[in-house]
């Protein structure tokens, strides 16, 4: 059980960094520092969007429209932080035989 929780913790950390990299890349694209016409940048951008879009879609349905400002990555990061800081320690305690 501990091994599964360790793997889940690693996956949550990787997801955290994927969202951060995607946000930074979106800013660089928006400010025309880099463009998606570059094949390498375009393929990274598509891969990151493919990974993150299923997480953002339900949150975008709930959040009001802020025009060009997309707050869904920040909401996902807050949810990930809550999972890592509150839920995971409780699961570790349960796995070790303690109580919540």
């Amino acid at each position: 059980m501990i091994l599964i929780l360790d793997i889940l913790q690693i996956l949550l950390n990787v997801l955290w960094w994927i969202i951060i990299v995607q946000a930074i890349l979106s800013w660089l694209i928006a400010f025309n520092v880099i463009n998606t016409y570059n094949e390498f940048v375009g393929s990274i951008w598509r891969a990151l969007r493919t990974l993150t879009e299923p997480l953002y879609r339900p949150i975008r349905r709930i959040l009001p429209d802020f025009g060009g400002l997309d707050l869904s990555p920040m909401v996902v990061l807050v949810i990930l932080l809550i999972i890592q800081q509150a839920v995971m320690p409780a699961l570790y305690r349960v796995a070790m035989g303690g109580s919540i």
Side-chain angles (χ1 to χ4, degrees):
M1 180 72 174
I2 299 293
L3 179 62
I4 293 171
L5 291 174
D6 288 341
I7 292 171
L8 182 60
Q9 186 70 33
I10 291 169
L11 291 176
L12 289 173
N13 286 332
V14 169
L15 182 59
W16 175 276
W17 286 107
I18 286 173
I19 292 170
I20 296 293
V21 167
Q22 194 243 354
I24 292 170
L25 190 62
S26 72
W27 294 336
L28 292 175
I29 290 170
F31 291 117
N32 209 17
V33 174
I34 58 175
N35 61 36
T36 55
Y37 295 118
N38 182 323
E39 185 177 328
F40 179 71
V41 172
S43 63
I44 290 176
W45 178 246
R46 283 187 300 277
L48 291 174
R49 285 187 54 94
T50 302
L51 290 171
T52 57
E53 193 61 33
L55 298 171
Y56 297 158
R57 195 175 306 121
I59 294 169
R60 286 183 181 139
R61 278 187 261 145
I62 296 170
L63 287 177
D65 186 22
F66 291 107
L69 185 61
D70 184 15
L71 295 178
S72 56
M74 186 173 67
V75 172
V76 171
L77 288 176
V78 168
I79 292 170
L80 284 176
L81 186 66
I82 291 169
I83 291 171
Q84 287 179 324
Q85 299 296 319
V87 175
M88 290 301 288
L91 290 175
Y92 274 107
R93 283 192 297 274
V94 169
M96 296 295 267
S99 62
I100 295 177

